[in-house]
Amino acid sequence: KEVEQDPGPFNVPEGATVAFNCTYSNSASQSFFWYRQDCRKEPKLLMSVYSSGNEDGRFTAQVDKSSKYISLFIRDSQPSDSATYLCAMSGAMDSSYKLIFGSGTRLLVRP
Amino acid sequence: DGGITQSPKYLFRKEGQNVTLSCEQNLNHDAMYWYRQDPGQGLRLIYYSQIVNDFQKGDIAEGYSVSREKKESFPLTVTSAQKNPTAFYLCASRWGENYGYTFGSGTRLTVV
């Protein structure tokens, strides 16, 4: 598989820190993203992942291109964070801009 | 507001029937994509188009066809040759390499 992602589910108490990881095989991948997908809904872009890492509130995303994995951390998790989280990355050095997705990790945050 | 509109939201297909899923965007994006998602699985690429009047097969194009006559529109036809069409179909568009996809709300297709 081009992208490997732990399917979970992750079942954590409210307030926990959660970490999601994806490993990928294509060293040509240049752009990376995390999506959130609620049950029976479309994926929605959560964060782009920059080489220097980036943070948005309780969410932090990182990429390690030498080891070929990307990470998403959620601090102080809330029940409203319960969803499936998908990683995505560009698949090739071409102009198609198509993304390859992981299979998603389900998260359940217990109140 | 700019976005992607998919219709219908739910679609039922009889055996041997072709059906067409609509995807329209007003984001002025050149690149558009069709994905299929099966329960508990990730997204698999069916077809994509980078420019009007041009499109390319993705990983699972067999049994599907598309057209791209206008920048705003990228309809997907699920033909009778697709033996297992029951799935959640997602249309997406993208501005460029450094930007993620914008998805439509999806069409849930069921064979009856």
Side-chain angles (χ1 to χ4, degrees):
Chain A
K1 280 189 175 181
E2 290 188 78
V3 182
E4 296 276 0
Q5 185 175 6
D6 185 339
F10 292 177
N11 190 329
V12 303
E14 183 174 353
T17 295
V18 187
F20 303 97
N21 295 304
C22 280
T23 58
Y24 62 95
S25 59
N26 188 349
S27 56
S29 294
Q30 293 294 320
S31 54
F32 306 89
F33 306 92
W34 283 99
Y35 282 81
R36 168 186 171 137
Q37 185 174 24
D38 292 293
C39 188
R40 301 180 69 80
K41 299 285 190 180
E42 76 276 19
K44 292 192 175 173
L45 182 64
L46 181 65
M47 295 181 78
S48 301
V49 188
Y50 305 125
S51 296
S52 57
N54 49 309
E55 186 174 320
D56 183 3
R58 298 183 292 109
F59 298 83
T60 301
Q62 297 174 346
V63 58
D64 183 334
K65 292 185 180 180
S66 61
S67 300
K68 290 187 281 188
Y69 75 82
I70 64 171
S71 301
L72 174 70
F73 300 90
I74 305 177
R75 291 186 303 279
D76 187 26
S77 57
Q78 303 296 309
S80 58
D81 295 329
S82 299
T84 297
Y85 291 82
L86 299 103
C87 61
M89 57 209 65
S90 57
M93 291 288 283
D94 62 29
S95 59
S96 71
Y97 305 144
K98 58 182 182 284
L99 295 179
I100 297 172
F101 287 82
S103 56
T105 302
R106 282 185 58 202
L107 172 65
L108 175 63
V109 182
R110 307 187 308 273
Chain B
D1 285 339
I4 299 181
T5 301
Q6 286 188 245
S7 62
K9 193 173 181 68
Y10 299 96
L11 186 57
F12 298 91
R13 192 193 92 166
K14 294 181 180 179
E15 295 283 349
Q17 194 177 43
N18 292 356
V19 292
T20 297
L21 284 58
S22 171
C23 177
E24 303 278 334
Q25 55 105 354
N26 60 2
L27 298 166
N28 201 33
H29 291 173
D30 285 314
M32 297 187 73
Y33 310 83
W34 274 105
Y35 285 83
R36 167 183 173 142
Q37 187 176 36
D38 293 282
Q41 297 190 32
L43 282 67
R44 292 185 290 167
L45 182 64
I46 305 173
Y47 267 99
Y48 62 98
S49 169
Q50 298 167 249
I51 198 168
V52 174
N53 292 323
D54 186 49
F55 48 82
Q56 307 295 327
K57 292 182 179 180
D59 301 318
I60 55 165
E62 186 174 350
Y64 300 97
S65 66
V66 293
S67 63
R68 187 83 186 277
E69 297 176 2
K70 299 186 299 182
K71 186 175 186 177
E72 299 80 15
S73 179
F74 190 39
L76 173 74
T77 297
V78 183
T79 75
S80 57
Q82 172 48 241
K83 298 307 178 188
N84 186 22
T86 295
F88 187 39
Y89 290 87
L90 288 157
C91 179
S93 69
R94 191 177 184 193
W95 179 248
E97 173 68 21
N98 294 322
Y99 299 87
Y101 286 165
T102 299
F103 282 95
S105 57
T107 293
R108 203 163 293 276
L109 174 62
T110 303
V111 173
V112 296

